[in-house]
Amino acid sequence: MVSRKAVSTSMALIAIIIVAAIAGGAGYYVGNSLGYSTGYQAGSSGGFQDGNRTGFQLGNQTGYLQGYQAGLSKGAPILPDVIKIGCLMDLSGGLGPMGVKIQLGAKLAVDEVNARGGIRGRPIQLIVEDTETKPAKALEAARKLVEVDGVQVIIGPLISGAARLVGPYVTEKRVLLITPSVSGPFLSYEFANGYVMRVCPSDELQAAAMSDLVLNGTHERIAFLIMNNPYGLGIEGEVKKRVGNGTITINYDETKLDYRAELESIKAANPDVVVHVGYYEDGKVVFRQALEAGLENVRWITAEGCYGTPMLEDPMCAEFMSLAVTGTTPKPITGIIYDDFKARHREAFGMDPEVYGDTSYDAAMLAILGIAYCGEYNGTKIRDAVLEISKNYIGPSGHKMFKPNGVDIMTASYIIWDIEEVSPGQYRITHVAEWSPPSPG
Amino acid sequence: MNLAQILFDSFVLGSIYLLAATGLSLTYGLSKFPNFAQAEFITFGAYMAYAFSNQLGVHLFLAFFSAFLSSGALAALSYGLVFAPLSRRGSSTVQLMVASIGLGLIIRHVSMQVWGGGILSFRIFFPIYRSPWPPISTSLVWLSVVVDAAVTALALHLFLTRTRLGRAMRATSDNIDLAKSSGINVGKVALQGWFLAGALAGLSGAFLAAGTTLVPLLGWKLLLPAFAVTILGGAGSFYGALAAAYIVGAAENFGVAGLTALRLSADYRTAISFIILILLLLFRPEGLFKASRRGD
């Protein structure tokens, strides 16, 4: 009995020692890393006392000393030896083929500045993470960029779903996010004056263009036929703010690809204008079945998702569009700045820039200029600098001055388009007008 | 609300479901497992119709016939090379079902290698008909599918009741051991049944793709309502499936009208087949029409 008791007592002791050792090790590690980073920040901002106290309190002297010395050697302005810029790109998944090319825009901006010696002699490093066209993957990658690489500014992501998840995270971490392509109106409301910016126009502007088309006619009964996803619902919400809720709203499944029942309900509501948002795949079916249903005597207004020659491959769809549909789409970028960018892009990578390649370049260039302007590697300061310099920044994708909400660019123009039957069975897209938002005052 | 139009649309959808589900019901009866590769027989038919009509310039009628034949051949091959050997080796229902999912994926991805993963259009302008009374508006492709399904149903009825092969097929479906002992070549009968199942599926895919658009998941999207139809009709029963196809078609069309009237998203329409399926499995797993099968 006695010996067994002694054994169990000594086992317990050993267990306690092991636990204590692990806890001690973990504590040392946490203390060391916390102490180091806190000490570094405190030291680098020049506050010896602050750094000393915080560093000491949070962990151990070693961490503090390292941090302090690292900070001292830099002095102010404070820039790291290598300036890191994070990049969330869909290099695989649904948008993969596009993302691989879109990232080249950002890469070009970084390469060009590095070729001229970087920022104050410090090179810029673009750290690209593949987000696989998956929102959850984007958040994971953003965490890696912020917590492992320590970036203060990120270019991307490309899709709305990813921006929804990454936005709150960067806001919490005070890291600046500049997206080249997320157009969902929700960004403007959810992240106003925060840490999310976009250099492409919000769908709110397109919705305003569509609303003007609706309001320019004498329409009393408005129907909404909108695909049920963030892109469709975003535009629907913005149009409804301007023209009211209309007579009927149908949100359809964009993968169902058979909409006779939905169109029948639209027809039963007897509208004089239908506001539609869809993509090619569903749009083709909606329009050809609208022709079957006899809805060509109603005016249809659609968005950028159905702009393009693939829509004209289906003769029934093309015929319907020529009879009834008017649409909007962002005005393609032209002009000498874009042409020059295109030439540089071609020289660097042997190919023309992808759609959003220009905004990807502008996002990266604004980030770089922002860091250079404020002379500090700090998300909040970079953001304030970007808001300031963007007033005078005109890049390949246009003038990037931001609205007071700090999220959206001020201006963007839209094309109003029609489909024209040039000869029996031959159709083409014609640009009938241009639309710009009213001047902000 | 235009009742005539909704009824007509229900017939159209029911006709597509009928063509897609008859095969499912037939192969379930003959081989006793739910064949998920049916979805790809549907899509394959659509691709073949597209290839003949758009790429080879054959008349649409012939293109559809080619779709019928090639999907039938694909189904017969699937049975002969995959499912028959597997069941000879004593594979269970679950194993056969999983094999059918795998085979389906292979067929789908091979098709995508050939025709790409994008959206294809038949590029055909179907004449549009508008009747003042009853107020129905439709195009030739949908009229054809209604007529085609009706003719198919009649032909199948005659085939199953009046021909030797048809009766052998029903006998095999009812009781395979009894059929064997009565001297029926069960393997051959099953092979022919599978051909028919695939052929009808291919036809449904060709109609649907010509009337809408052709995507790699065309058949997969049709599979759930097809299963709902098969189970509603009592798995393995042709006459049950016949009635069930039009019931599910009507449920979906009236469902969308109802959803819209209730200001709900029409996106829920896909759920309608699901709900029918779940309710049936809960309350009448043998199908609505199983009891009346004695008269078949």
Side-chain angles (χ1 to χ4, degrees):
Chain A
M1 287 297 278
V2 173
S3 66
R4 189 175 293 173
K5 197 170 185 179
V7 168
S8 57
T9 311
S10 56
M11 287 295 280
L13 271 174
I14 290 168
I16 289 168
I17 289 165
I18 291 172
V19 170
I22 293 171
Y28 177 80
Y29 175 74
V30 171
N32 194 25
S33 54
L34 270 180
Y36 178 83
S37 60
T38 318
Y40 172 83
Q41 280 165 10
S44 66
S45 65
F48 175 85
Q49 290 301 328
D50 262 355
N52 192 359
R53 193 168 56 242
T54 324
F56 183 75
Q57 282 165 354
L58 272 170
N60 67 52
Q61 212 110 23
T62 324
Y64 158 70
L65 276 173
Q66 283 173 358
Y68 171 63
Q69 279 155 6
L72 268 192
S73 65
K74 297 290 178 293
I78 311 108
L79 284 172
D81 290 335
V82 174
I83 297 165
K84 292 175 180 171
I85 294 181
C87 186
L88 297 174
M89 277 287 156
D90 300 315
L91 304 179
S92 55
L95 278 185
M98 276 181 85
V100 173
K101 295 179 192 159
I102 293 174
Q103 66 163 338
L104 297 178
K107 196 170 178 311
L108 184 63
V110 170
D111 291 350
E112 285 178 353
V113 175
N114 278 340
R116 287 183 225 127
I119 301 175
R120 301 186 191 198
R122 294 163 167 90
I124 303 158
Q125 184 192 2
L126 187 71
I127 306 174
V128 184
E129 293 291 326
D130 181 9
T131 45
E132 300 173 13
T133 324
K134 288 178 192 152
K137 184 71 195 171
L139 179 59
E140 197 183 297
R143 283 182 191 281
K144 184 257 174 189
L145 286 172
V146 173
E147 284 159 34
V148 178
D149 299 312
V151 303
Q152 287 291 316
V153 56
I154 298 173
I155 311 304
L158 297 184
I159 56 173
S160 286
R164 261 224 152 90
L165 280 186
V166 177
Y169 173 73
V170 293
T171 306
E172 184 201 321
K173 295 287 175 187
R174 294 168 192 253
V175 168
L176 178 61
L177 187 74
I178 310 178
T179 166
S181 63
V182 173
S183 61
F186 72 94
L187 280 193
S188 316
Y189 311 117
E190 290 176 18
F191 304 107
N193 300 309
Y195 289 81
V196 181
M197 305 170 99
R198 64 172 139 212
V199 288
C200 62
S202 162
D203 283 335
E204 187 190 350
L205 281 180
Q206 177 157 214
M210 293 172 79
S211 304
D212 279 359
L213 284 177
V214 174
L215 296 171
N216 286 347
T218 47
H219 303 302
E220 286 170 4
R221 300 177 63 80
I222 306 169
F224 290 88
L225 182 61
I226 310 281
M227 66 165 156
N228 198 7
N229 68 10
Y231 170 65
L233 299 177
I235 293 185
E236 178 195 321
E238 293 298 322
V239 174
K240 282 186 170 175
K241 275 186 200 164
R242 291 165 175 82
V243 306
N245 282 332
T247 312
I248 183 173
T249 299
I250 295 188
N251 297 120
Y252 65 84
D253 174 358
E254 77 266 24
T255 63
K256 175 75 185 176
L257 301 185
D258 191 354
Y259 305 111
R260 279 166 299 137
E262 284 84 347
L263 289 162
E264 192 46 44
S265 293
I266 293 276
K267 199 179 173 187
N270 193 26
D272 44 27
V273 62
V274 179
V275 177
H276 170 255
V277 182
Y279 290 140
Y280 288 160
E281 199 171 307
D282 50 290
K284 266 187 187 178
V285 181
V286 165
F287 289 153
R288 67 172 287 154
Q289 295 191 333
L291 185 69
E292 287 173 351
L295 279 162
E296 74 277 6
N297 297 323
V298 182
R299 188 164 179 236
W300 286 62
I301 294 165
T302 192
E304 157 207 13
C306 289
Y307 170 83
T309 47
M311 294 296 288
L312 306 182
E313 283 170 4
D314 184 322
M316 294 178 82
C317 170
E319 171 71 9
F320 180 78
M321 290 179 86
S322 75
L323 292 172
V325 181
T326 304
T328 55
T329 195
K331 189 183 171 189
I333 305 297
T334 51
I336 46 172
I337 300 178
Y338 184 82
D339 291 343
D340 186 50
F341 161 71
K342 196 165 135 182
R344 294 187 334 256
H345 191 284
R346 202 181 291 163
E347 196 189 320
F349 308 113
M351 63 168 95
D352 281 348
E354 176 65 80
V355 182
Y356 293 118
D358 50 357
T359 47
S360 160
Y361 176 91
D362 284 337
M365 194 50 97
L366 280 172
I368 293 168
L369 294 175
I371 296 166
Y373 184 84
C374 70
E376 281 187 52
Y377 194 61
N378 169 303
T380 311
K381 299 223 165 116
I382 300 170
R383 177 199 62 188
D384 296 343
V386 169
L387 287 175
E388 192 57 35
I389 52 166
S390 63
K391 290 174 187 166
N392 301 310
Y393 177 83
I394 301 179
S397 71
H399 186 191
K400 299 288 107 165
M401 181 174 173
F402 283 86
K403 283 186 182 177
N405 71 8
V407 178
D408 295 305
I409 47 171
M410 280 278 188
T411 60
S413 297
Y414 286 81
I415 295 286
I416 311 295
W417 53 270
D418 255 341
I419 303 296
E420 185 187 14
E421 188 170 12
V422 278
S423 59
Q426 291 297 314
Y427 303 87
R428 72 162 184 223
I429 304 169
T430 52
H431 293 176
V432 290
E434 203 178 309
W435 183 95
S436 297
S439 166
Chain B
M1 194 179 291
N2 180 353
L3 269 181
Q5 183 75 48
I6 297 180
L7 271 175
F8 178 79
D9 285 339
S10 304
F11 265 104
V12 171
L13 199 57
S15 301
I16 294 170
Y17 289 166
L18 176 67
L19 292 175
T22 303
L24 210 53
S25 183
L26 206 58
T27 50
Y28 184 83
L30 291 169
S31 304
K32 301 284 180 275
F33 75 92
N35 172 33
F36 280 78
Q38 179 84 357
E40 309 315 319
F41 299 162
I42 294 170
T43 320
F44 185 71
Y47 276 119
M48 289 311 285
Y50 173 82
F52 277 96
S53 145
N54 274 51
Q55 295 173 314
L56 301 175
V58 173
H59 188 273
L60 194 66
F61 183 80
L62 285 178
F64 273 42
F65 189 64
S66 321
F68 179 84
L69 291 181
S70 25
S71 272
L74 181 69
L77 274 177
S78 306
Y79 175 75
L81 297 178
V82 181
F83 301 121
L86 279 177
S87 28
R88 268 202 301 276
R89 285 168 205 184
S91 294
S92 68
T93 307
V94 174
Q95 286 164 335
L96 286 165
M97 187 182 83
V98 173
S100 77
I101 296 173
L103 179 71
L105 284 174
I106 294 171
I107 298 172
R108 182 191 306 169
H109 286 273
V110 171
S111 304
M112 282 167 77
Q113 286 301 315
V114 178
W115 288 284
I119 327 157
L120 300 173
S121 293
F122 271 62
R123 305 188 186 208
I124 292 168
F125 202 114
F126 294 103
I128 290 170
Y129 302 107
R130 290 194 181 138
S131 107
W133 186 258
I136 290 171
S137 179
T138 190
S139 72
L140 182 62
V141 64
W142 303 124
L143 275 179
S144 318
V145 77
V146 172
V147 174
D148 185 88
V151 171
T152 305
L154 186 67
L156 271 177
H157 165 71
L158 294 175
F159 169 75
L160 290 173
T161 51
R162 306 287 160 85
T163 68
R164 223 184 147 72
L165 178 60
R167 272 178 285 192
M169 224 170 253
R170 280 166 64 213
T172 312
S173 187
D174 265 355
N175 187 328
I176 193 160
D177 295 320
L178 204 61
K180 264 186 208 163
S181 57
S182 344
I184 294 173
N185 183 344
V186 178
K188 200 173 151 196
V189 165
L191 192 70
Q192 284 156 333
W194 273 79
F195 176 87
L196 191 59
L200 291 176
L203 204 54
S204 75
F207 271 113
L208 187 60
T212 60
T213 182
L214 176 48
V215 288
L217 288 181
L218 182 88
W220 189 249
K221 288 173 194 162
L222 212 51
L223 195 65
L224 174 75
F227 268 124
V229 165
T230 310
I231 294 172
L232 182 63
S237 154
F238 166 66
Y239 298 97
L242 182 62
Y246 293 106
I247 292 176
V248 174
E252 249 191 67
N253 276 283
F254 282 96
V256 170
L259 284 170
T260 316
L262 291 171
R263 298 193 165 271
L264 289 171
S265 167
D267 211 342
Y268 294 117
R269 68 182 283 171
T270 326
I272 294 171
S273 319
F274 261 119
I275 293 169
I276 294 177
L277 198 60
I278 292 168
L279 289 178
L280 272 169
L281 290 172
L282 279 175
F283 297 109
R284 223 181 140 78
E286 71 277 17
L288 278 187
F289 306 101
K290 201 73 174 181
S292 63
R293 256 198 106 237
R294 191 185 301 213
D296 283 4

